[in-house]
C-alpha cells in the first residue's frame, strides 16, 4: 500500500496507551494491496502500503540503482532500480521534507505481495510517475514486516489526508489513476496547505483520544463466562454452514478463531453450544484442507481463499499461517482422534522444513504468489501451482488395473481433484486471464466415493492418488520457483517454534521437536543481544548459509517478545529442557521493562525509543491473521505464573485484561484469543507434575499421555527430584512430591493442592478428562 503524508512532528514527550478500534473484521485482503496516502507537512502522516516486483536486479543493464540498493530488506531491494528517488524510513527523509516543504509519499509493503508487484510494475517503474514522485514528494519505502509499528500507526492515520490500497497507473471507467491522484494532491498541497495542516492536527488529536486503551477507574476485567458466550454467539451468527469459515469471501484461515472454538468446546462439552463449537472448528479445518487453499502437491497453506468454497487461493504462503495452522490441526487431532488432521499438520511442517527453513535453524518469512510460467517469462500469479489437463495426462498416463472402465491414474486424479479441460478457475477470479485453462487441485469427493465411482478399493485409490501427487511434485520442481522472502523475523520464528514443538509433542515425533529446538537456538544465537537482553526484529539470509543483520539493528517489537516467549514455553513442555523456560523468564522481564504501560495497563506495541518518529504508541487490539501480542502476553503471564508462582505476573495479567475491558465488552469477536485468556484467568490453571527420570520409558509414557490430550489451561512440569533445580527453586512445593515405588509418578495440582500420586497413563488420562 502506498501513502502520502507529512513529515512526522518532533515530539518532546510521548503519547501513551493509544490503539484505534478497528471493528470486528476477521481478516482483510488490504494487506495484499498497495495502499496509498498523503498528508501535510507539519502534522503526522497517514499511511501503510505494499508495492514491489520479484526481480531484485535491473531489467536492463543501464539502469542506475537508487539508495535502496544499500538496504537488507528483500522488499526494499525489489525497488532499488525504480526511477523513483526512494528513501528508507528515517530522519534523512523527514528532514528533506521539512526543508523542501514537500509532503511525504509513504509506501509500505512486503516482498511477496501480489498487489505490491502490480503497483511497482504499473506505476513505480513508470518514468513519468517516477518524476512526479521524485520532484513533488519525498518518497519513503517501508517493509511493513520490518516496521509493523509504522504500518499500524499510519493505517490509523490514513484519514487526515489521502490514502488508498491500489491505484492503476491511469484513469479508468470506475477508478481514478495513480498519476491523477498525485497531480491532484500536488495541487491541493500548493493551494490549500494550511487547511490540510489544520485538519490533520484536529484529526490527530481526536484519534489520540479515541485510540486510548487503559484501565481507567476499572479494577477488574469483565466476566470471562459472559465474554466467552458473546464471542461464541457472534461467531455462530457468521458461520458458513456449508463450507466452514466465517465470511463470504475472501476467506482467511484465522487460527485464533479455531483455537477459541476448541477452548469453548472444552468448557461447554456437555452443552449443545459446546458440540456446535467443536463441529464449527473441525468442519472448517476439514474444508480448508480439502480446498485449493491447501497445496495438495507440495503441502502448506496459501494465505487466503478468494471464494467462499476455499477453492481459488491468493497463492502467497506465509510462515505465520503454517505455524498457527500446524497447531490448529494438531489440536483437532487431539480432540477428534481423526488422523486426517494429524496428516495435514505433518504435511504443513514437511513444507516448512523443505522450503522455508534456513541452514542456521531459522525460518524464512514467505513465498511469493507470483512466478514465471517458464524461465525468462513475466511472473504470473499462481503459475507455479496450477495445472492443465494435458500436463496431468502426460505425467500420469499409466492404466489403473481393476477399474470398471478404462482409466489412467491421471484421469483418477483429475476426477478426485476436480480438474477440467476448460480449467476450474472462474473468469471472475482471473481478471487478467492469466489462469485460463488451468486448474487448482481441490478435493471434490471422499476417497470412498472416488473408489466406488470406479469400482476400486479405497486403499488402492489412496495409494494411486499419493503416487500421482508425488509425480506432480517432482515435475513441478522443474518450474521456476516463486520468490522466497529470506528475511527472518523473531516473531514468526517464535510462532514456528510453537508449531514444531506442539505438533511434535502431540504426535510423539522427536524430529519435529528437534526443529523447534534448532529454531530456538537460532533465535538465541542470531536474534538476541546478550548485553542488553533485547531481541532483534529481523535478520537476513546471507550468501553461503550465513546470517546478516542491518546496521544499526532493527530491535524487536512487542510481538517478537510475546511470540518467542510462547514458543519457548511450548518448547519446554515438549522437550523438558529447563534452559528454554529460564530464557523465557528473562525475555518476559525484558518485555515488561520495555513495553509495559505502568499507568494504563497492557503493553505498547513498540519501545518508546523506536517510536520517536511516530505520533503515538499503539496497543494492538485485534486478533487477526496473527494474534494480538497483548492476547498472547496474557496467556504467557498466566503460564509463567503457573511455572514460577511469581505474583507480579498474575497481577500484570489482570491489569492487561482490565485495560482491554471496553474493547472486550464491545466486540469480543475481535479478540477471541484474549477472550480465551480471560476465561483461563477466571478458571483454575492445572499444574501437571511428572516426577521421574526424563529418559526413562515410564516417564515418557506419562508425558506422552498428557501431550495426547487437549488441555489448553495447564502447565506441564518435569520434576527430577533435584531440590536445587531451576523449577524446584521457583516452586518449593515440588520438593514434597515423591515417586511412588520408584516409578515415574504424576500429580495434578491446582492452587498447590495436588491429586493422589498416579503411575499408570490410563489413570492419568481418566483424571485429565474429568
Amino acid at each position: 500500500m502506498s501513502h502520502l503524508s507529512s513529515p512526522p512532528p518532533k515530539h518532546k514527550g510521548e503519547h501513551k496507551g493509544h490503539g484505534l478500534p478497528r471493528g470486528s473484521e476477521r481478516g482483510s485482503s488490504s494487506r495484499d494491496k498497495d495502499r496509498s496516502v498523503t498528508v501535510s507537512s507539519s502534522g503526522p502522516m497517514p499511511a501503510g502500503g505494499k508495492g514491489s516486483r520479484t526481480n531484485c536486479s535491473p531489467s536492463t543493464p543501464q539502469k542506475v540503482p537508487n539508495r535502496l540498493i544499500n538496504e537488507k530488506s528483500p522488499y526494499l531491494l525489489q525497488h532499488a532500480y525504480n526511477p523513483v528517488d526512494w528513501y528508507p524510513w528515517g530522519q534523512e527523509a523527514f528532514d528533506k521534507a521539512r526543508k523542501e516543504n514537500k509532503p511525504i509519499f509513504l509506501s509500505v509493503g512486503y516482498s511477496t505481495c501480489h498487489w505490491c508487484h502490480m503497483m511497482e510494475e504499473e506505476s513505480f517503474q513508470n518514468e513519468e510517475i517516477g518524476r512526479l514522485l521524485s520532484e513533488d514528494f519525498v518518497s519513503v519505502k517501508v517493509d511493513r514486516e520490518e516496521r509493523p509499528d509504522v504500518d499500524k500507526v499510519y493505517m490509523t492515520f490514513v484519514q487526515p489526508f489521502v490514502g488508498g490500497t491500489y491505484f492503476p497507473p491511469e484513469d479508468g471507467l470506475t477508478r481514478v489513476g495513480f498519476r491523477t491522484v498525485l497531480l491532484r494532491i500536488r495541487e491541493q498541497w500548493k493551494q490549500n496547505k494550511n487547511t490540510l495542516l489544520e485538519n490533520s492536527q484536529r484529526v490527530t488529536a481526536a484519534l489520540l483520544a479515541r485510540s486510548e486503551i487503559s484501565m481507567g477507574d476499572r479494577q477488574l476485567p469483565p466476566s470471562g463466562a459472559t465474554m466467552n458466550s458473546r464471542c461464541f454467539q457472534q461467531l455462530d451468527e457468521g458461520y458458513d454452514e456449508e463450507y466452514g469459515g466465517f465470511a463470504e469471501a475472501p476467506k482467511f484461515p484465522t487460527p485464533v478463531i479455531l483455537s477459541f472454538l476448541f477452548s469453548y468446546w472444552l468448557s461447554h462439552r456437555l452443552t449443545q453450544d459446546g458440540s456446535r463449537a467443536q463441529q464449527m472448528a473441525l468442519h472448517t479445518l476439514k474444508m480448508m484442507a480439502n480446498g485449493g487453499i491447501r497445496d495438495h502437491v507440495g503441502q502448506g497453506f496459501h494465505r487466503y481463499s478468494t471464494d467462499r468454497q476455499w477453492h481459488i487461493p491468493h497463492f502467497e504462503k506465509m510462515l505465520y499461517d503454517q505455524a498457527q495452522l500446524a497447531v490448529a490441526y494438531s489440536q483437532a487431532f487431539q480432540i477428534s482422534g481423526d488422523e486426517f488432521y494429524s496428516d495435514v499438520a505433518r504435511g504443513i511442517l514437511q513444507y516448512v522444513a523443505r522450503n522455508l527453513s534456513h541452514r542456521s535453524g531459522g525460518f524464512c518469512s514467505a513465498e511469493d504468489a507470483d512466478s514465471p510460467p517458464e524461465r525468462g517469462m513475466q511472473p504470473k500469479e499462481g503459475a507455479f501451482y496450477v495445472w492443465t489437463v494435458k500436463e496431468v495426462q502426460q505425467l500420469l498416463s499409466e492404466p489403473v488395473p481393476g477399474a470398471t472402465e478404462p482409466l489412467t491414474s491421471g484421469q483418477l486424479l483429475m476426477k478426485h481433484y476436480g480438474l477440467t479441460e476448460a480449467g476450474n478457475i472462474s473468469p471472475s477470479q482471473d481478471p487478467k486471464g492469466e489462469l485460463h485453462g488451468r486448474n487448482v487441485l481441490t478435493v471434490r469427493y471422499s476417497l470412498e466415493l472416488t473408489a466406488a465411482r470406479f469400482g476400486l478399493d479405497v486403499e488402492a485409490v489412496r495409494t494411486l492418488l499419493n503416487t500421482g501427487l508425488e509425480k506432480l511434485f517432482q515435475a513441478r520442481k522443474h518450474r521456476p520457483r516463486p520468490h522466497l522472502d529470506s528475511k527472518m523475523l523473531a516473531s514468526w520464528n517464535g510462532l514456528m517454534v510453537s508449531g514444531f514443538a506442539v505438533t511434535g509433542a502431540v504426535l510423539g515425533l522427536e524430529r519435529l521437536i528437534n526443529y523447534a529446538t534448532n529454531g530456538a537456538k537460532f533465535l538465541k544465537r542470531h536474534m538476541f543481544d546478550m548485553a542488553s537482553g533485547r531481541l532483534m526484529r529481523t535478520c537476513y539470509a546471507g550468501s553461503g548459509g550465513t546470517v546478516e543483520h542491518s546496521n544499526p539493528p532493527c530491535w524487536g517489537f512487542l510481538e517478537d517478545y510475546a511470540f518467542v516467549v510462547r514458543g519457548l514455553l511450548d518448547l519446554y513442555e515438549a522437550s523438558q529442557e529447563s534452559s528454554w523456560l529460564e530464557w523465557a523468564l528473562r525475555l518476559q522481564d525484558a518485555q515488561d521493562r520495555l513495553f509495559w504501560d505502568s499507568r494504563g495497563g497492557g503493553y505498547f506495541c513498540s519501545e518508546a525509543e523506536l517510536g520517536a518518529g511516530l505520533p503515538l504508541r499503539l496497543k494492538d487490539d485485534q486478533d487477526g491473521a496473527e494474534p494480538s501480542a497483548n492476547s498472547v502476553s496474557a496467556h504467557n503471564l498466566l503460564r509463567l505464573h503457573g511455572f514460577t508462582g511469581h505474583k507480579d505476573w498474575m497481577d500484570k495479567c489482570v491489569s492487561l485484561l482490565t485495560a482491554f475491558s471496553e474493547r472486550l465488552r464491545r466486540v469480543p469477536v475481535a479478540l477471541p484469543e484474549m477472550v480465551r485468556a480471560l476465561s483461563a484467568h477466571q478458571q483454575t490453571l492445572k499444574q501437571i507434575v511428572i516426577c521421574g527420570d526424563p529418559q526413562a520409558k515410564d516417564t515418557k509414557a506419562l508425558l506422552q499421555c498428557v501431550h495426547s490430550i487437549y488441555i489448553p489451561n495447564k502447565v506441564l512440569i518435569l520434576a527430577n527430584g533435584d531440590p536445587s533445580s531451576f523449577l524446584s527453586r521457583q516452586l518449593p512445593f515440588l520438593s514434597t512430591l515423591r515417586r511412588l515405588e520408584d516409578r515415574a509418578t504424576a500429580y495434578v495440582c491446582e492452587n498447590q493442592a495436588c491429586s493422589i500420586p498416579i503411575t499408570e497413563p490410563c489413570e492419568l488420562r481418566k483424571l485429565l478428562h474429568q
Side-chain angles (χ1 to χ4, degrees):
M1 85 194 127
S2 313
H3 323 278
L4 302 166
S5 84
S6 60
K10 293 187 176 173
H11 294 288
K12 299 208 170 148
E14 64 189 41
H15 301 289
K16 296 199 172 188
H18 310 294
L20 181 66
R22 292 183 297 283
S24 61
E25 66 275 11
R26 293 182 293 276
S28 161
S29 57
S30 65
R31 181 188 157 104
D32 290 305
K33 297 195 176 177
D34 214 302
R35 306 182 283 243
S36 289
V37 195
T38 318
V39 185
S40 35
S41 196
S42 61
M45 335 175 233
K50 337 258 180 227
S52 95
R53 199 55 182 163
T54 54
N55 23 329
C56 299
S57 58
S59 55
T60 53
Q62 67 267 28
K63 282 194 176 179
V64 176
N66 56 48
R67 61 178 59 75
L68 297 186
I69 198 68
N70 300 313
E71 299 299 310
K72 296 284 188 189
S73 158
Y75 174 62
L76 268 57
L77 288 171
Q78 285 171 353
H79 292 262
Y81 288 89
N82 295 164
V84 177
D85 188 20
W86 289 117
Y87 283 79
W89 176 267
Q91 199 59 46
E92 184 185 6
F94 309 149
D95 290 345
K96 178 181 171 71
R98 285 192 190 92
K99 181 182 176 184
E100 298 181 10
N101 191 26
K102 292 177 180 176
I104 285 175
F105 172 83
L106 177 62
S107 176
V108 185
Y110 61 111
S111 82
T112 60
C113 159
H114 170 73
W115 287 100
C116 305
H117 303 337
M118 294 286 294
M119 195 81 185
E120 191 220 6
E121 189 176 280
E122 295 174 349
S123 294
F124 298 145
Q125 290 184 14
N126 181 293
E127 295 286 345
E128 184 186 356
I129 289 175
R131 250 192 321 277
L132 266 173
L133 285 171
S134 301
E135 291 174 4
D136 296 307
F137 304 90
V138 175
S139 297
V140 175
K141 265 283 172 202
V142 171
D143 184 330
R144 60 97 62 197
E145 292 166 356
E146 283 188 335
R147 292 298 303 259
D149 57 330
V150 175
D151 188 45
K152 283 170 186 163
V153 165
Y154 286 111
M155 282 304 291
T156 302
F157 275 81
V158 154
Q159 297 159 51
F161 200 31
V162 179
T165 56
Y166 164 76
F167 295 99
E170 302 296 339
D171 296 348
L173 290 174
T174 57
R175 54 196 315 172
V176 177
F178 186 49
R179 189 170 63 89
T180 302
V181 170
L182 293 177
L183 290 170
R184 288 180 182 174
I185 291 167
R186 181 179 71 178
E187 195 59 29
Q188 284 293 310
W189 184 253
K190 288 177 179 174
Q191 302 295 330
N192 299 308
K193 178 188 169 187
N194 290 337
T195 304
L196 289 171
L197 288 173
E198 289 169 13
N199 288 343
S200 174
Q201 287 159 1
R202 275 199 300 273
V203 173
T204 300
L207 285 173
L208 290 173
R210 205 174 116 203
S211 63
E212 183 161 14
I213 293 174
S214 175
M215 289 189 294
D217 296 331
R218 292 179 290 269
Q219 299 299 313
L220 291 171
S223 158
T226 303
M227 295 304 102
N228 225 8
S229 177
R230 282 170 56 185
C231 186
F232 170 73
Q233 293 303 329
Q234 288 176 344
L235 288 171
D236 192 25
E237 288 164 13
Y239 177 64
D240 183 338
E241 295 284 353
E242 189 173 0
Y243 295 104
F246 301 88
E248 285 295 312
K251 270 187 176 171
F252 288 74
T254 325
V256 287
I257 291 176
L258 304 171
S259 182
F260 167 80
L261 289 171
F262 283 147
S263 277
Y264 187 87
W265 160 77
L266 189 65
S267 57
H268 297 77
R269 283 199 303 278
L270 304 179
T271 70
Q272 193 172 349
D273 280 353
S275 299
R276 169 80 170 157
Q278 185 202 59
Q279 180 268 332
M280 287 160 66
L282 292 178
H283 182 59
T284 297
L285 285 166
K286 186 153 278 190
M287 296 306 289
M288 282 167 43
N290 285 336
I293 191 173
R294 180 184 174 201
D295 177 4
H296 294 275
V297 173
Q299 299 303 315
F301 279 78
H302 301 294
R303 206 165 71 77
Y304 65 84
S305 171
T306 62
D307 54 61
R308 181 187 163 209
Q309 294 83 5
W310 303 106
H311 179 199
I312 307 301
H314 172 58
F315 291 91
E316 177 184 14
K317 286 181 174 178
M318 309 301 298
L319 182 68
Y320 62 78
D321 280 326
Q322 317 310 321
Q324 295 177 91
L325 285 170
V327 173
Y329 279 97
S330 299
Q331 291 172 339
F333 172 64
Q334 286 178 310
I335 289 164
S336 69
D338 186 342
E339 290 186 1
F340 172 87
Y341 298 106
S342 59
D343 288 346
V344 176
R346 261 195 294 263
I348 292 169
L349 298 182
Q350 180 187 33
Y351 160 71
V352 172
R354 185 180 61 238
N355 291 103
L356 298 180
S357 294
H358 187 261
R359 192 183 301 177
S360 63
F363 303 100
C364 299
S365 295
E367 284 194 302
D368 209 324
D370 299 12
S371 60
E374 295 177 25
R375 300 195 191 283
M377 294 178 68
Q378 274 294 98
K380 294 182 178 180
E381 182 169 18
F384 185 72
Y385 299 102
V386 294
W387 299 89
T388 64
V389 162
K390 184 180 178 182
E391 287 173 318
V392 175
Q393 285 174 331
Q394 287 176 343
L395 288 165
L396 307 175
S397 58
E398 62 278 2
V400 175
T404 54
E405 60 187 76
L407 181 71
T408 65
S409 59
Q411 289 169 327
L412 177 73
L413 185 139
M414 289 188 291
K415 183 71 174 177
H416 188 73
Y417 288 103
L419 279 68
T420 68
E421 192 78 47
N424 63 11
I425 301 168
S426 159
S428 64
Q429 294 170 293
D430 181 27
K432 287 193 159 187
E434 294 179 330
L435 302 175
H436 177 69
R438 286 163 171 76
N439 295 271
V440 173
L441 272 64
T442 182
V443 175
R444 291 298 191 198
Y445 308 100
S446 66
L447 286 171
E448 290 76 12
L449 277 174
T450 300
R453 166 71 178 76
F454 297 108
L456 297 168
D457 177 70
V458 170
E459 286 309 310
V461 168
R462 189 194 307 275
T463 301
L464 284 164
L465 291 174
N466 287 340
T467 302
L469 291 173
E470 177 60 25
K471 287 184 178 179
L472 296 188
F473 176 73
Q474 294 302 327
R476 204 171 73 174
K477 284 182 176 179
H478 298 288
R479 296 177 176 179
R481 284 204 66 83
H483 157 73
L484 173 71
D485 186 333
S486 58
K487 175 175 72 269
M488 290 174 273
L489 302 172
S491 59
W492 296 0
N493 273 258
L495 290 176
M496 204 65 246
V497 168
S498 285
F500 274 107
V502 171
T503 306
V506 169
L507 303 185
L509 295 174
E510 195 66 34
R511 61 187 171 81
L512 298 183
I513 298 171
N514 288 340
Y515 271 102
T517 301
N518 289 336
K521 287 177 178 176
F522 158 80
L523 284 162
K524 196 161 191 180
R525 186 181 302 123
H526 294 290
M527 305 197 79
F528 179 61
D529 180 59
M530 294 287 287
S532 65
R534 293 157 82 197
L535 283 172
M536 295 173 206
R537 169 69 176 172
T538 59
C539 63
Y540 308 87
S543 58
T546 59
V547 174
E548 297 178 350
H549 294 86
S550 56
N551 187 20
C554 183
W555 294 108
F557 296 93
L558 175 64
E559 64 189 52
D560 296 300
Y561 290 81
F563 295 177
V564 170
V565 168
R566 171 188 271 187
L568 294 174
L569 297 181
D570 289 336
L571 179 55
Y572 165 71
E573 293 197 352
S575 68
Q576 299 302 318
E577 289 285 342
S578 63
S579 60
W580 300 123
L581 183 57
E582 292 183 54
W583 191 33
L585 266 65
R586 286 182 63 194
L587 287 180
Q588 187 64 51
D589 282 335
Q591 176 182 318
D592 294 348
R593 183 179 76 252
L594 295 168
F595 303 98
W596 182 252
D597 178 3
S598 56
R599 181 182 61 83
Y603 294 96
F604 292 114
C605 291
S606 58
E607 292 184 36
E609 288 177 27
L610 279 178
L614 295 171
L616 78 168
R617 289 175 84 192
L618 291 172
K619 294 177 188 172
D620 196 3
D621 61 354
Q622 177 130 357
D623 294 321
E626 302 165 62
S628 153
N630 270 289
S631 298
V632 173
S633 294
H635 285 281
N636 290 346
L637 291 166
L638 286 173
R639 292 173 76 183
L640 287 166
H641 178 259
F643 279 121
T644 66
H646 293 181
K647 184 175 178 295
D648 179 56
W649 280 329
M650 180 60 80
D651 293 342
K652 274 192 167 59
C653 181
V654 173
S655 296
L656 186 160
L657 294 169
T658 304
F660 282 84
S661 292
E662 185 182 345
R663 177 73 162 158
L664 285 166
R665 285 195 182 94
R666 198 154 39 87
V667 233
V669 75
L671 283 165
E673 186 74 1
M674 192 173 288
V675 172
R676 226 166 56 78
L678 178 65
S679 299
H681 157 63
Q682 293 177 1
Q683 297 165 5
T684 306
L685 178 129
K686 284 185 170 69
Q687 293 166 304
I688 303 171
V689 183
I690 311 293
C691 300
D693 175 356
Q695 301 307 316
K697 282 185 180 177
D698 55 355
T699 304
K700 289 182 176 180
L702 290 174
L703 288 169
Q704 192 53 44
C705 171
V706 177
H707 288 311
S708 70
I709 303 169
Y710 177 68
I711 323 167
N713 195 19
K714 63 105 172 58
V715 293
L716 174 60
I717 296 168
L718 179 68
N720 60 7
D722 178 4
S724 66
S725 70
F726 173 73
L727 274 165
S728 293
R729 295 198 308 274
Q730 305 294 320
L731 296 170
F733 83 92
L734 292 179
S735 60
T736 67
L737 304 180
R738 297 279 182 266
R739 298 189 206 184
L740 201 62
E741 299 172 356
D742 208 31
R743 297 168 65 190
T745 304
Y747 297 85
V748 180
C749 308
E750 296 181 9
N751 297 322
Q752 298 192 9
C754 296
S755 69
I756 59 169
I758 299 167
T759 56
E760 293 297 333
C762 58
E763 293 300 317
L764 178 58
R765 182 175 298 277
K766 279 183 200 170
L767 179 61
L768 293 175
H769 273 305
Q770 286 177 5

